[in-house]
Every structure is written in C-alpha cells, then in structure tokens.
Coordinates of all heavy atoms in Angstrom, one line a residue:
M11 N 1.2 -25.2 0.8 CA 0.0 -24.9 1.5 C -1.2 -25.6 0.8 O -1.4 -25.4 -0.3 CB -0.2 -23.4 1.5 CG -1.3 -22.9 2.3 SD -1.4 -21.1 2.3 CE -1.4 -20.8 4.0
S12 N -1.9 -26.3 1.6 CA -3.0 -27.1 1.0 C -4.2 -26.1 0.9 O -4.3 -25.0 1.4 CB -3.4 -28.3 1.8 OG -3.9 -27.8 3.1
T13 N -5.2 -26.6 0.1 CA -6.4 -25.8 -0.1 C -7.2 -25.6 1.2 O -7.7 -24.5 1.4 CB -7.3 -26.5 -1.1 OG1 -6.6 -26.8 -2.3 CG2 -8.5 -25.7 -1.5
N14 N -7.2 -26.6 2.0 CA -7.9 -26.4 3.3 C -7.2 -25.3 4.2 O -7.9 -24.6 4.8 CB -7.9 -27.8 4.0 CG -8.8 -27.8 5.2 OD1 -9.8 -27.0 5.3 ND2 -8.6 -28.7 6.2
D15 N -5.9 -25.3 4.2 CA -5.2 -24.3 4.9 C -5.5 -22.9 4.4 O -5.7 -21.9 5.1 CB -3.7 -24.5 4.9 CG -3.3 -25.8 5.7 OD1 -4.0 -26.2 6.6 OD2 -2.2 -26.3 5.4
Y16 N -5.5 -22.8 3.1 CA -5.8 -21.5 2.5 C -7.2 -21.0 2.8 O -7.4 -19.8 3.1 CB -5.6 -21.6 0.9 CG -5.8 -20.3 0.2 CD1 -4.9 -19.3 0.4 CD2 -6.9 -20.1 -0.6 CE1 -5.1 -18.1 -0.3 CE2 -7.1 -18.9 -1.2 CZ -6.2 -17.9 -1.1 OH -6.4 -16.7 -1.7
V17 N -8.2 -21.9 2.7 CA -9.6 -21.5 3.1 C -9.7 -21.1 4.5 O -10.3 -20.1 4.9 CB -10.5 -22.7 2.8 CG1 -11.9 -22.4 3.3 CG2 -10.6 -23.0 1.3
K18 N -9.0 -21.8 5.4 CA -8.9 -21.5 6.8 C -8.3 -20.1 7.0 O -8.9 -19.3 7.8 CB -8.1 -22.5 7.6 CG -8.1 -22.3 9.1 CD -7.4 -23.5 9.8 CE -7.3 -23.3 11.2 NZ -6.5 -24.3 11.9
Y19 N -7.2 -19.8 6.4 CA -6.6 -18.5 6.5 C -7.5 -17.4 6.0 O -7.6 -16.3 6.7 CB -5.3 -18.5 5.7 CG -4.6 -17.2 5.6 CD1 -4.0 -16.6 6.7 CD2 -4.7 -16.4 4.4 CE1 -3.4 -15.3 6.6 CE2 -4.1 -15.2 4.3 CZ -3.5 -14.6 5.4 OH -2.9 -13.4 5.3
M20 N -8.1 -17.6 4.8 CA -9.0 -16.6 4.3 C -10.2 -16.3 5.2 O -10.7 -15.2 5.4 CB -9.5 -16.9 2.9 CG -8.4 -16.9 1.8 SD -7.5 -15.3 1.7 CE -8.9 -14.3 1.1
T21 N -10.7 -17.4 5.8 CA -11.9 -17.3 6.7 C -11.4 -16.5 7.9 O -12.2 -15.6 8.4 CB -12.4 -18.6 7.1 OG1 -12.7 -19.4 6.0 CG2 -13.6 -18.5 8.0
Q22 N -10.3 -16.7 8.5 CA -9.8 -16.0 9.6 C -9.6 -14.5 9.3 O -10.0 -13.6 10.1 CB -8.4 -16.6 10.1 CG -8.5 -17.9 10.8 CD -7.2 -18.5 11.1 OE1 -6.1 -18.0 10.6 NE2 -7.2 -19.6 11.8
Q23 N -9.1 -14.2 8.1 CA -8.9 -12.8 7.7 C -10.2 -12.1 7.6 O -10.4 -11.0 8.0 CB -8.1 -12.7 6.4 CG -6.7 -13.2 6.5 CD -5.9 -12.4 7.5 OE1 -5.9 -11.2 7.5 NE2 -5.2 -13.1 8.4
L24 N -11.2 -12.8 7.0 CA -12.5 -12.2 6.8 C -13.2 -11.9 8.1 O -13.8 -10.9 8.3 CB -13.4 -13.1 5.9 CG -14.8 -12.6 5.7 CD1 -14.8 -11.4 4.8 CD2 -15.6 -13.7 5.0
V25 N -13.1 -12.9 9.0 CA -13.7 -12.7 10.4 C -13.0 -11.5 11.1 O -13.7 -10.7 11.7 CB -13.6 -14.0 11.2 CG1 -14.0 -13.8 12.6 CG2 -14.5 -15.0 10.6
R26 N -11.7 -11.5 11.0 CA -11.0 -10.4 11.7 C -11.4 -9.0 11.1 O -11.6 -8.0 11.8 CB -9.5 -10.5 11.5 CG -8.7 -9.5 12.2 CD -7.2 -9.6 12.0 NE -6.8 -11.0 12.4 CZ -5.6 -11.5 12.0 NH1 -4.8 -10.8 11.3 NH2 -5.3 -12.7 12.3
Y27 N -11.6 -9.0 9.8 CA -12.0 -7.7 9.1 C -13.5 -7.4 9.6 O -13.7 -6.2 9.8 CB -12.0 -7.9 7.6 CG -12.5 -6.7 6.8 CD1 -11.7 -5.6 6.6 CD2 -13.8 -6.7 6.3 CE1 -12.2 -4.5 5.9 CE2 -14.3 -5.7 5.6 CZ -13.5 -4.5 5.4 OH -14.0 -3.5 4.7
M28 N -14.3 -8.3 9.6 CA -15.7 -8.1 10.0 C -15.8 -7.7 11.5 O -16.8 -6.9 11.8 CB -16.6 -9.3 9.7 CG -16.7 -9.7 8.3 SD -17.4 -8.4 7.2 CE -19.1 -8.8 7.6
D29 N -14.9 -8.1 12.3 CA -15.0 -7.8 13.7 C -14.5 -6.4 14.0 O -14.9 -5.8 15.1 CB -14.2 -8.8 14.6 CG -14.9 -10.1 14.7 OD1 -16.1 -10.2 14.5 OD2 -14.2 -11.1 15.1
T30 N -13.7 -5.8 13.2 CA -13.2 -4.4 13.5 C -14.3 -3.4 13.2 O -15.1 -3.6 12.2 CB -12.0 -4.1 12.6 OG1 -12.4 -4.2 11.2 CG2 -10.8 -4.9 12.9
P31 N -14.4 -2.4 14.0 CA -15.5 -1.4 13.8 C -15.2 -0.6 12.5 O -14.1 -0.5 12.0 CB -15.3 -0.5 15.0 CG -14.5 -1.2 16.0 CD -13.7 -2.2 15.2
K32 N -16.3 -0.1 12.0 CA -16.3 0.6 10.7 C -15.3 1.8 10.7 O -14.6 2.1 9.8 CB -17.7 1.0 10.2 CG -17.7 1.5 8.9 CD -19.2 1.8 8.4 CE -19.3 2.2 7.0 NZ -20.6 2.4 6.6
E33 N -15.4 2.5 11.8 CA -14.6 3.7 12.0 C -13.1 3.4 12.0 O -12.3 4.1 11.4 CB -14.9 4.5 13.3 CG -16.3 5.1 13.3 CD -17.4 4.0 13.7 OE1 -17.0 3.0 14.3 OE2 -18.5 4.2 13.4
E34 N -12.8 2.3 12.6 CA -11.4 1.8 12.7 C -10.9 1.4 11.3 O -9.7 1.7 10.9 CB -11.2 0.7 13.7 CG -9.8 0.3 13.9 CD -9.6 -0.8 15.0 OE1 -10.6 -0.9 15.8 OE2 -8.6 -1.5 15.0
R35 N -11.7 0.7 10.5 CA -11.4 0.3 9.2 C -11.1 1.6 8.3 O -10.2 1.6 7.5 CB -12.4 -0.5 8.5 CG -12.5 -1.9 9.1 CD -13.5 -2.7 8.4 NE -14.8 -2.2 8.7 CZ -16.0 -2.9 8.6 NH1 -15.9 -4.2 8.2 NH2 -17.1 -2.4 8.9
K36 N -12.0 2.6 8.4 CA -11.8 3.8 7.7 C -10.5 4.5 8.1 O -9.8 5.1 7.2 CB -13.0 4.7 7.9 CG -14.2 4.3 7.1 CD -15.3 5.4 7.2 CE -16.5 4.9 6.4 NZ -17.6 6.0 6.4
A37 N -10.2 4.5 9.4 CA -9.0 5.2 9.8 C -7.7 4.5 9.3 O -6.8 5.1 8.8 CB -8.9 5.2 11.3
I38 N -7.8 3.2 9.3 CA -6.6 2.4 8.7 C -6.5 2.7 7.2 O -5.4 2.8 6.7 CB -6.8 0.9 9.0 CG1 -6.7 0.6 10.5 CG2 -5.9 0.0 8.2 CD1 -7.1 -0.8 10.9
K39 N -7.6 2.7 6.5 CA -7.6 3.0 5.1 C -7.0 4.4 4.8 O -6.1 4.5 3.9 CB -9.0 2.9 4.5 CG -9.1 3.0 3.0 CD -10.5 2.7 2.5 CE -10.5 2.8 1.0 NZ -11.9 2.6 0.5
T40 N -7.4 5.4 5.5 CA -6.9 6.7 5.3 C -5.4 6.8 5.6 O -4.6 7.5 5.0 CB -7.7 7.8 6.0 OG1 -7.7 7.5 7.4 CG2 -9.1 7.9 5.5
M41 N -5.0 6.1 6.7 CA -3.6 6.1 7.1 C -2.7 5.4 6.0 O -1.7 5.9 5.7 CB -3.4 5.3 8.4 CG -2.0 5.3 9.0 SD -1.8 4.5 10.5 CE -2.4 2.9 10.2
R42 N -3.2 4.3 5.4 CA -2.5 3.7 4.3 C -2.3 4.6 3.1 O -1.3 4.6 2.5 CB -3.2 2.4 3.9 CG -2.9 1.2 4.8 CD -3.6 0.0 4.3 NE -3.5 -1.1 5.3 CZ -4.4 -2.1 5.3 NH1 -5.3 -2.2 4.3 NH2 -4.3 -3.0 6.2
K43 N -3.4 5.4 2.8 CA -3.3 6.3 1.7 C -2.3 7.4 1.9 O -1.6 7.7 0.9 CB -4.7 6.9 1.4 CG -5.6 6.0 0.7 CD -6.9 6.7 0.3 CE -7.8 5.8 -0.5 NZ -9.1 6.5 -0.9
T44 N -2.2 7.9 3.1 CA -1.2 8.9 3.4 C 0.2 8.4 3.4 O 1.1 9.2 3.1 CB -1.5 9.6 4.7 OG1 -1.5 8.7 5.7 CG2 -2.9 10.3 4.7
E45 N 0.4 7.1 3.7 CA 1.7 6.6 3.8 C 2.3 6.1 2.4 O 3.4 5.7 2.3 CB 1.8 5.4 4.8 CG 1.6 5.9 6.2 CD 1.6 4.7 7.2 OE1 1.6 3.6 6.7 OE2 1.6 5.0 8.4
K46 N 1.4 6.1 1.4 CA 1.9 5.6 0.1 C 3.0 6.5 -0.5 O 2.9 7.7 -0.3 CB 0.7 5.6 -0.9 CG -0.1 4.3 -0.8 CD -1.1 4.3 -2.0 CE -1.9 3.1 -2.0 NZ -3.0 3.1 -3.0
S47 N 3.9 5.9 -1.2 CA 4.9 6.7 -1.8 C 4.3 7.3 -3.1 O 3.3 6.9 -3.6 CB 6.1 5.8 -2.2 OG 5.6 4.8 -3.1
P48 N 5.0 8.4 -3.6 CA 4.4 9.1 -4.8 C 4.3 8.1 -6.0 O 5.0 7.1 -6.1 CB 5.5 10.1 -5.0 CG 6.2 10.4 -3.7 CD 6.1 9.0 -3.0
F49 N 3.4 8.4 -6.8 CA 3.1 7.6 -8.0 C 4.4 7.3 -8.8 O 4.6 6.2 -9.2 CB 2.0 8.3 -8.9 CG 1.8 7.5 -10.1 CD1 1.0 6.4 -10.1 CD2 2.3 7.9 -11.3 CE1 0.7 5.7 -11.3 CE2 2.0 7.3 -12.5 CZ 1.2 6.1 -12.5
A50 N 5.1 8.4 -9.1 CA 6.3 8.2 -10.0 C 7.3 7.2 -9.4 O 7.8 6.4 -10.1 CB 7.0 9.6 -10.2
S51 N 7.6 7.3 -8.1 CA 8.6 6.4 -7.5 C 8.0 5.0 -7.3 O 8.7 4.1 -7.4 CB 9.1 7.0 -6.2 OG 8.1 7.0 -5.3
R52 N 6.7 4.9 -7.2 CA 6.1 3.6 -7.0 C 6.1 2.8 -8.3 O 6.4 1.6 -8.3 CB 4.7 3.8 -6.5 CG 4.0 2.5 -6.1 CD 2.7 2.7 -5.4 NE 1.7 3.4 -6.3 CZ 1.0 4.4 -5.9 NH1 1.1 4.9 -4.6 NH2 0.2 5.0 -6.7
W53 N 5.9 3.5 -9.4 CA 5.9 2.8 -10.7 C 7.2 2.7 -11.4 O 7.5 1.8 -12.1 CB 4.9 3.5 -11.6 CG 3.5 3.0 -11.3 CD1 2.7 3.6 -10.4 CD2 2.8 1.9 -11.8 NE1 1.5 2.9 -10.3 CE2 1.5 1.9 -11.2 CE3 3.1 0.9 -12.7 CZ2 0.6 0.9 -11.5 CZ3 2.1 0.0 -13.0 CH2 0.9 0.0 -12.4
F54 N 8.1 3.7 -11.2 CA 9.3 3.8 -12.0 C 10.6 3.7 -11.1 O 11.7 3.9 -11.6 CB 9.3 5.1 -12.8 CG 8.2 5.2 -13.7 CD1 7.2 6.1 -13.5 CD2 8.0 4.3 -14.8 CE1 6.1 6.2 -14.4 CE2 6.9 4.3 -15.6 CZ 5.9 5.3 -15.4
G55 N 10.4 3.6 -9.8 CA 11.6 3.5 -8.9 C 12.3 4.8 -8.7 O 11.7 5.8 -8.6
I56 N 13.6 4.7 -8.7 CA 14.4 5.9 -8.4 C 14.7 6.8 -9.6 O 15.2 7.9 -9.4 CB 15.7 5.5 -7.6 CG1 16.3 6.6 -6.9 CG2 16.7 4.9 -8.6 CD1 17.2 6.2 -5.8
L57 N 14.4 6.3 -10.8 CA 14.7 7.1 -12.0 C 14.1 8.5 -12.0 O 14.8 9.5 -12.3 CB 14.3 6.4 -13.2 CG 15.1 5.1 -13.5 CD1 14.5 4.4 -14.7 CD2 16.6 5.5 -13.7
P58 N 12.8 8.7 -11.6 CA 12.3 10.1 -11.6 C 13.1 11.0 -10.6 O 13.4 12.2 -10.9 CB 10.9 10.0 -11.2 CG 10.5 8.6 -11.6 CD 11.8 7.8 -11.4
F59 N 13.4 10.4 -9.4 CA 14.1 11.2 -8.4 C 15.5 11.6 -9.0 O 16.0 12.7 -8.8 CB 14.3 10.4 -7.1 CG 15.2 11.1 -6.1 CD1 14.7 12.1 -5.4 CD2 16.4 10.6 -5.9 CE1 15.5 12.8 -4.5 CE2 17.3 11.2 -5.0 CZ 16.8 12.3 -4.2
A60 N 16.2 10.6 -9.6 CA 17.5 10.9 -10.1 C 17.5 12.0 -11.2 O 18.3 12.9 -11.3 CB 18.2 9.6 -10.7
F61 N 16.5 11.9 -12.1 CA 16.3 12.9 -13.2 C 16.0 14.3 -12.6 O 16.6 15.2 -13.1 CB 15.1 12.4 -14.1 CG 15.0 13.3 -15.3 CD1 15.9 13.3 -16.3 CD2 13.9 14.1 -15.4 CE1 15.7 14.1 -17.4 CE2 13.7 14.9 -16.5 CZ 14.6 14.9 -17.5
M62 N 15.2 14.4 -11.6 CA 14.9 15.7 -11.0 C 16.1 16.2 -10.3 O 16.4 17.4 -10.4 CB 13.7 15.5 -10.0 CG 12.4 15.4 -10.7 SD 11.0 15.0 -9.6 CE 11.2 16.3 -8.3
F63 N 16.9 15.3 -9.6 CA 18.1 15.8 -8.9 C 19.1 16.3 -10.0 O 19.8 17.3 -9.7 CB 18.7 14.6 -8.2 CG 19.9 14.9 -7.4 CD1 19.8 15.6 -6.2 CD2 21.1 14.5 -7.8 CE1 20.9 15.9 -5.5 CE2 22.3 14.8 -7.0 CZ 22.1 15.5 -5.9
F64 N 19.2 15.6 -11.1 CA 20.1 16.0 -12.2 C 19.7 17.4 -12.7 O 20.6 18.2 -12.9 CB 20.1 15.0 -13.3 CG 21.0 15.3 -14.5 CD1 22.4 15.3 -14.4 CD2 20.4 15.7 -15.7 CE1 23.1 15.7 -15.5 CE2 21.1 16.1 -16.7 CZ 22.5 16.0 -16.7
L65 N 18.4 17.6 -12.9 CA 18.0 18.9 -13.5 C 18.2 20.0 -12.5 O 18.6 21.1 -12.8 CB 16.5 18.8 -13.8 CG 16.2 18.0 -15.1 CD1 14.7 18.0 -15.3 CD2 16.9 18.5 -16.3
K66 N 18.0 19.8 -11.2 CA 18.3 20.8 -10.2 C 19.7 21.1 -10.1 O 20.1 22.2 -9.8 CB 17.7 20.3 -8.8 CG 16.2 20.4 -8.7 CD 15.8 20.0 -7.3 CE 14.3 20.0 -7.2 NZ 13.8 19.6 -5.9
K67 N 20.6 20.1 -10.2 CA 22.0 20.3 -10.1 C 22.5 21.1 -11.3 O 23.5 21.9 -11.2 CB 22.7 18.9 -10.1 CG 24.2 19.0 -9.7 CD 24.7 17.6 -9.6 CE 26.2 17.7 -9.1 NZ 26.8 16.4 -9.0
R68 N 21.9 21.0 -12.5 CA 22.3 21.7 -13.7 C 22.1 23.2 -13.5 O 22.8 24.0 -14.1 CB 21.6 21.2 -14.9 CG 22.3 19.9 -15.4 CD 21.7 19.5 -16.7 NE 21.9 20.5 -17.8 CZ 21.4 20.4 -19.0 NH1 20.8 19.3 -19.3 NH2 21.7 21.3 -19.9
K69 N 21.0 23.6 -12.8 CA 20.6 25.0 -12.7 C 21.6 25.8 -11.9 O 22.3 25.7 -11.1 CB 19.2 25.1 -12.1 CG 18.2 24.7 -13.1 CD 16.8 25.0 -12.6 CE 15.8 24.6 -13.6 NZ 14.4 24.8 -13.1

C-alpha cells in the first residue's frame, strides 16, 4: 500500500465519520462498550474462566 493510498483511505474514513450525526456516533460507541468482552478474558484469554470453572467444580 503506497502512501497516497493510505492518505486517501484515511481521508475517506474521516469524511465518513464527520458525515454521521452525533447521536448515531454516540449510539455506536455505547453499543461497542456493551459488546466488549470482560477485562479478564480480554487480557488473559481463557485462563480466568478455566480457573473459575475449576474452583466451582471443587466445591
């Protein structure tokens, strides 16, 4: 990808962002926040889940 293509792509993304209404941008942002996976699994993968499952199984 050449520099010119990258600048063109970034300009298109910026224009698309600026064209969307503010309320729609806020709605998309809140939707992304709710869809995020929990912090532990996002940073450490399946290990916290496996550890919790092991502890529950021991009880």
Side-chain angles (χ1 to χ4, degrees):
M11 186 178 232
S12 69
T13 307
N14 193 23
D15 291 339
Y16 183 71
V17 170
K18 184 178 179 182
Y19 171 76
M20 291 303 295
T21 306
Q22 288 173 350
Q23 294 299 315
L24 180 68
V25 169
R26 184 182 306 162
Y27 177 79
M28 297 297 280
D29 284 344
T30 57
K32 188 174 186 178
E33 295 83 21
E34 188 176 337
R35 287 184 293 205
K36 284 186 179 183
I38 291 171
K39 186 176 182 180
T40 56
M41 184 177 59
R42 283 185 188 157
K43 282 186 178 182
T44 58
E45 291 178 354
K46 274 188 180 175
S47 60
F49 175 79
S51 65
R52 187 172 59 229
W53 280 88
F54 304 111
I56 198 159
L57 290 176
F59 174 75
F61 185 69
M62 288 173 49
F63 184 73
F64 175 73
L65 290 179
K66 285 182 182 179
K67 193 174 180 181
R68 279 186 63 181
K69 288 184 179 182

